[in-house]
Each structure stands twice: as C-alpha cells, then as structure tokens.
Amino acid sequence: MNSRWSKPALCSVALLVFVGPALAQAPERIAFFGDIHLHTSYSTDAFLLMTRTTPDDSYRFAQGQEVEYLGHRVKRKAPLDFLAVTDHAEYLGVVRMALKPDGPLKGTRWGDWLAGDTVEGSAAAYKELLKASGESAKIDEFENPALQKSAWDEYVAYADKYYAPGRFTTFVAFEWTSAPGNQNLHRNVIFRGKGPDVPFSSKESNDPEQLWAYMERQRKAGLTLLAIPHNGNASNGLMFSTEKTLSGAPITRDYLERRRANEPLTEVAQVKGQSETHPLLSPNDEFASFELYEYLIGVPRKANFATGSYIRQAYGAGQALQEKFGINPFKLGLVGGTDFHSGVSATEESAYPGSHGNQDPKTLATITATTSIGGEPPVGASAAALTGVWAEANTREAIFDALQRKETFGTSGGRIQVRFFGGWNFGSDTLSRPDWVRRAYTEGVPMGDDLKAGPAGLAPTFIVQALKDPDSGNLDRVQIIKVETRGGVSKEQVFDVAWSGDRKPDLTGKLPSVGNTVDLAKASYENSIGAVELMGTWQDPTFDPSASATYYARAIEIPTPRWSTRWAVELGSPLNPEAPPMLQERAWTSPIWYTPPGIAR
C-alpha cells in the first residue's frame, strides 16, 4: 500500500481571540456539540405518547439541568453547547393547547380520546394520527389558524429566551413531516436568526420541491435557513432517488440545483438507526451493520433500500449525476440528531431514559418486547445521535455558518471529536508542527469542502485527528471511506488509516480486532485497550485523476455495553436477542470531494 500514516501524540490547542466586549473568537475553530433534532409535547405525536416536556425543559436539560420526564428526574452528565428543538410543523402545539378546559377539542372525538389523560385514549388518538400522516390527510379538528399561530409564537419565544451567545446557542426550527405511504421524506428546517411567521407543513404539500419554494420565499423576505433530510433508510428509496421527482417528473438540472442550494446536510444517525450504509450494500465493510433500522415510518413493514436510501450509495449516485448534468446534488455534509420524542437529548448510553414517551419507559415490558406499533421493538431504538461543528464561537451565526459550509460531523451519541483535512502538499511531518491546524487550513481544505485542482501525477493526502469522548470508551481506529465514480459506475473502499496498539494488518490488509473488555453480566467495560487520541496523514493509494471521488473519515470506539444491556442488568432481565448487547460508538465526518478537470463542480 502506498499510503502513509503517522500518529504523533499531539493535541491541538485552539487560539482564542477576544472580539468586542466579551465574546471569544477562535480563528482555527473549536468543536461544539449539540442536538438539532428533538421533539417535545409541542409535537402532536409526542403529546399523544404522553410526553409532557416543553421546549423550556429541553433547553434546560441540554445545559445540564435536571428535569422531569415520565415522572422521573433525568439529567445529562455532559451539557451540550447548542440545541434546536424541531417539533413537527403539522399542528405544532395545537393539541396540548386545545385540551385546556372548554378548549376547541371539547366534544370532539379527539377530546373524548384525550379526556382523562389515559394510556388507552392516547393510544387510540395516536393510531388515528399515524393513519392521517400516512395518507397526508388533514385533521379537521386541528385546523385552527389562530391557535396554530399562538402556539408557534410561544414556541419561538422559548428559543429566544434560552439563547446565550458565547455560552449556549438555540435555533428557531421545525420539522417538515412528509411521509407519503409511510415513506420517510422528513426534513428539519433550521433558521440562522429570526424565524418565520409560521412554519411550513406537509399539510400544505408533501413534495420537497414545495418545501424548497417556501424556503426560497423566506430568503427573499430576508431570512437565512437550510433544510436537513433524515432517515433515508426508511424512505423506501425515495430520499436519494435519481430517476424522478416525487411528482413523477424527470430529474432536471434545475431540480438538482434547487436541492443542493436548500439541503447542504443530511442526518447520518439518530434513534431510528444510521443511514450511512447497510451490510447488503457494503459487504466488505465489517462495521456496516451498526444500529440498523429497516422499517417504514409508523408501520410494521420493511423498507426497500436497494437504491436511494443510504448516504454512501448517494455519494456515488450524486457523482454520476454530476457527470450527466454538471451538478452533484448529494454533496451532503453529515450531522447527527436524536429525533427523540421525549424532550430530552439523553444520548449517553449510561443515562438513556427512553425516547418515545409511553412506548419505551424503563420497565421489564419495554426491555423484553419483541415488536411495537411500528414493527421495531423498543430495544431497537438507538441512544443517538449528536452533531459536532467546528466554529469560531458558540453563537447562532457561527454555528449556523459551520452547518452551511458543512464543517460538521455526526456522532452516534457521544462526544468523539474528529477533524479532517485534504490537500496536495501535506508532508509526513505536517502533524509534528505545533501550528498544523493553521497550516491545514491554509494549505488544504477542511471537511465539507472541495479539493482544489492538484499537481499532475500527485494523489491527494488527508489529515485525520480523533479524540475520545472523555466519558466513553477509548478509540479503536480511524478509517477513510472513499466512493469513486467514473462513467456512471461507482465503487467504495474502506481504509484503516490510524489505530491503537501495535496491531498489524494481515496479508489481505485486514486489521485485527481491537479486543473486547465488556462484562455483559455487569454491563461494564474497561479502557485498558484502545487509544485516547488517533491521528495521522494518509495518501490515497488508488487515486485516479479522471474519476470523481468522495472521501470521509469514520472514528470507531472499542466495544462498550449498549443502553439495552445496562437496562437489562439493572432490571434483572435476560438480554433481548432483538438488540446487540454491545456496540462500537463512532463519529462520521463530512466528506471532502475531488472532481476531475472538465467536470463542472
């Protein structure tokens, strides 16, 4: 292998520059962690699952304060730096407000179901909501514009109340919840500053093109926003389709340009599994079977994922579209979000309280169930995920701009800190310099960007650095995943580029396992293997200058007990075979792209 890598034991130290009266700026940027996908009782489905937390609770929990959830006091061990509450735009806040004494639901079927706040009534109402959602149907009893506007204004006020520049950032945001035929096309819409007068919901249209039209109108009105699709794994192949639009029209360049302009990111992991890849699509990737979710939304029916569902495959499809149309709509940065319907971003495996109200409370019934109303048993839920951004400061402007330029990474719930640069002139001694981060920015490009044109005959070189989550397992390895496309045909490769210990790849290039310290009987592990930090440089040994390529890094932890194993030990239950007993937490960087000369970027 012509690649080269090194791993000096250096840690980057951010230089802080004070601008203005108090706000520190870091020109070389700092990693901030947050959740940009969370639901509270302002989401109709969460309320019907008997979640009663409000955005007020969510912002306090994210900052490390204790709040009440399902009658228990819960708290994060490590506070977050930012949070976007993204309640469903469809009837946002209406149900909880309409249930007030003598409210507009009194005397309706919904009022009858929800009177008394019973599990049975909520279940009947939730079933009706899923039916309406799958049919993209309106619910006449909730069609009250004045009530919708009042709830939205109250919701926005919470975001503004808890925004503390330099310390904790909040965003005005909502989720557009399109799911025709239970095929997931959801998008979270995040605003840089001021939010809209009202959100845009799938009741107005379930077509992403109409969401983009709404976003374009908001920009003309002076607002700045972006949309983040999620759960391509549950879209039945619609999320990254390259054949036709949702309305059945053929794909055009204009369609591709609008998609890329409005959707710079996609969510790589959350409670309903990861959307990076599937073992049937990536049979040579030994880590591809991580936290799989294979159902459509809200029904016990498996999704078709042969094409159009997973991000790694979409990277190749986007490059093929670029060859044909001159534009790649899938130059997508990666982020993570919880999608919890609990109001609490509880992504720590050791402190996971459940994520969907009365569907998965901490009980023996939950831990032993083998199915649910949506097919996936409660133990199948992931205690995931978070977004990391590299930004100059903890402000709405700095963090939003990091999202916009895709200098982001997703984690499976922890705070692995990972950095990724690409360039043509990084030497093997680059990382030995104390100013390597500054040089990486000036001589190369960070994650989320395109490689500039390179010298003839030279392959690109990449710098990766990963630091462990202080409260989780050590690091096993860092990999670089490459997706290459030429003549409409794509192939993927996975390279181990830095790893812990003195392991050596075998004759096939396979790196031995890091080992396993997990004690399932005690739901414990030891950090006696693995590394605190992994870093190195790597030069692509298979580079073809005539082929487009997408490169992203993946940092993987040593095995640790999954939340379901911790619950089983605590509750005295045998392990549920429907969930793996342990997992290897991870982080995925946004890619760096290479485009051959002669193909429009």
Side-chain angles (χ1 to χ4, degrees):
M1 186 168 74
N2 295 321
S3 62
R4 60 175 185 270
W5 62 272
S6 58
K7 45 180 180 177
L10 293 175
C11 293
S12 60
V13 178
L15 174 67
L16 296 179
V17 176
F18 287 86
V19 177
L23 198 57
Q25 300 282 316
E28 294 173 1
R29 296 169 183 155
I30 295 173
F32 296 103
F33 290 90
D35 182 9
I36 51 176
H37 189 177
L38 179 67
H39 298 270
T40 73
S41 62
Y42 278 63
S43 288
T44 302
D45 56 352
F47 186 87
L48 298 182
L49 296 175
M50 306 194 80
T51 288
R52 293 296 179 263
T53 51
T54 68
D56 190 272
D57 298 309
S58 302
Y59 294 125
R60 290 190 296 109
F61 179 85
Q63 294 180 79
Q65 297 181 34
E66 188 177 85
V67 304
E68 182 172 315
Y69 172 61
L70 296 181
H72 300 282
R73 305 299 292 180
V74 294
K75 181 180 179 179
R76 273 195 71 88
K77 184 175 182 179
L80 300 178
D81 301 305
F82 61 90
L83 176 66
V85 175
T86 53
D87 279 309
H88 295 299
E90 295 72 22
Y91 309 116
L92 188 149
V94 168
V95 173
R96 64 185 311 282
M97 296 185 76
L99 277 179
K100 294 176 180 176
D102 299 321
L105 291 186
K106 184 178 181 180
T108 70
R109 55 179 180 155
W110 292 88
D112 292 342
W113 281 328
L114 300 177
D117 212 17
T118 65
V119 172
E120 293 77 14
S122 292
Y126 186 69
K127 186 176 180 181
E128 184 67 15
L129 179 71
L130 288 179
K131 180 173 180 289
S133 178
E135 296 172 352
S136 300
K138 294 185 177 181
I139 300 173
D140 292 339
E141 294 91 332
F142 298 167
E143 293 291 330
N144 185 328
L147 202 59
Q148 292 175 25
K149 175 61 175 168
S150 174
W152 173 253
D153 289 345
E154 182 178 278
Y155 175 80
V156 170
Y158 282 125
D160 292 338
K161 173 185 175 182
Y162 283 98
Y163 178 39
R167 186 174 58 81
F168 182 72
T169 292
T170 63
F171 293 98
V172 177
F174 65 84
E175 179 172 348
W176 175 77
T177 321
S178 171
N182 300 97
Q183 302 166 109
N184 184 78
L185 290 176
H186 297 185
R187 266 81 166 171
N188 290 320
V189 181
I190 314 287
F191 291 81
R192 186 174 189 262
K194 180 179 180 296
D197 290 337
V198 291
F200 183 77
S201 81
S202 61
K203 297 188 287 91
E204 295 161 272
S205 176
N206 63 7
D207 191 329
E209 290 187 84
Q210 295 307 310
L211 173 66
W212 303 339
Y214 162 85
M215 296 174 67
E216 289 153 5
R217 292 194 297 273
Q218 296 301 317
R219 291 194 187 96
K220 288 181 179 177
L223 303 186
T224 302
L225 67 165
L226 56 80
I228 305 174
H230 66 84
N231 282 116
N233 57 325
S235 72
N236 229 21
L238 292 184
M239 186 63 80
F240 304 115
S241 174
T242 60
E243 299 298 323
K244 59 184 179 181
T245 69
L246 185 65
S247 62
I251 298 288
T252 64
R253 181 181 172 91
D254 177 69
Y255 174 90
L256 300 177
E257 287 179 340
R258 294 180 72 205
R259 176 158 191 163
R260 193 164 88 170
N262 286 293
E263 300 179 357
L265 303 163
T266 190
E267 199 174 86
V268 67
Q270 59 133 269
V271 65
K272 291 189 289 291
Q274 54 87 8
S275 294
E276 181 197 8
T277 193
H278 189 282
L280 294 180
L281 301 178
S282 302
N284 295 322
D285 183 350
E286 63 183 300
F287 296 100
S289 61
F290 181 73
E291 296 293 295
L292 298 176
Y293 180 94
E294 299 178 309
Y295 291 88
L296 297 176
I297 296 296
V299 292
R301 191 165 75 244
K302 292 290 186 75
N304 180 354
F305 56 83
T307 60
S309 295
Y310 283 89
I311 299 166
R312 188 184 297 177
Q313 185 186 61
Y315 285 146
Q319 290 171 160
L321 287 171
Q322 189 169 22
E323 291 178 340
K324 183 177 181 180
F325 292 96
I327 184 169
N328 180 352
F330 302 141
K331 283 192 173 179
L332 298 164
L334 299 181
V335 295
T338 62
D339 198 8
F340 292 170
H341 284 55
S342 60
V344 292
S345 300
T347 61
E348 295 154 323
E349 300 282 338
S350 60
Y352 177 71
S355 58
H356 279 70
N358 63 7
Q359 293 299 293
D360 57 357
K362 195 172 187 177
T363 64
L364 276 173
T366 297
I367 204 68
T368 57
T370 57
T371 189
S372 71
I373 190 171
E376 178 84 357
V379 291
S382 297
L386 293 178
T387 291
V389 302
W390 289 98
E392 294 84 354
N394 189 352
T395 64
R396 282 180 174 174
E397 295 79 10
I399 291 177
F400 184 94
D401 292 350
L403 295 172
Q404 186 71 64
R405 67 173 179 271
K406 298 175 273 195
E407 197 170 354
T408 60
F409 53 99
T411 82
S412 56
R415 288 170 295 124
I416 299 173
Q417 182 176 300
V418 58
R419 211 154 200 178
F420 188 44
F421 293 94
W424 301 95
N425 299 308
F426 297 142
S428 58
D429 63 340
T430 299
L431 290 173
S432 64
R433 299 172 181 270
D435 64 342
W436 73 265
V437 173
R438 182 186 61 79
R439 293 171 65 92
Y441 274 116
T442 57
E443 298 176 6
V445 296
M447 63 178 84
D449 208 342
D450 291 88
L451 284 168
K452 308 296 185 292
L458 197 63
T461 301
F462 298 87
I463 293 174
V464 291
Q465 181 201 35
L467 298 173
K468 76 179 290 287
D469 178 345
D471 298 315
S472 189
N474 283 341
L475 297 172
D476 167 6
R477 68 186 72 189
V478 176
Q479 301 174 307
I480 290 180
I481 291 87
K482 175 186 177 184
V483 182
E484 180 184 81
T485 304
R486 187 171 66 173
V489 178
S490 299
K491 64 178 182 180
E492 64 177 58
Q493 294 173 281
V494 180
F495 299 92
D496 294 309
V497 301
W499 53 85
S500 63
D502 57 0
R503 292 174 285 167
K504 297 185 184 304
D506 63 20
L507 294 178
T508 67
K510 181 178 172 60
L511 185 69
S513 167
V514 69
N516 186 0
T517 67
V518 173
D519 183 338
L520 293 179
K522 297 179 180 177
S524 63
Y525 69 99
E526 295 178 357
N527 271 329
S528 55
I529 57 174
V532 173
E533 179 186 29
L534 292 173
M535 60 191 305
T537 58
W538 174 83
Q539 188 171 38
D540 183 359
T542 63
F543 180 64
D544 178 353
S546 66
S548 299
T550 299
Y551 301 89
Y552 65 95
R554 185 172 66 183
I556 297 178
E557 285 187 2
I558 65 171
T560 54
R562 199 171 180 273
W563 69 266
S564 48
T565 298
R566 297 171 190 267
W567 278 29
V569 170
E570 187 176 341
L571 296 170
S573 168
L575 295 178
N576 189 329
E578 296 292 328
M582 63 189 85
L583 75 174
Q584 287 186 265
E585 304 273 15
R586 60 198 62 195
W588 304 262
T589 72
S590 290
I592 293 172
W593 290 272
Y594 167 77
T595 303
I599 297 179
R601 292 170 183 265

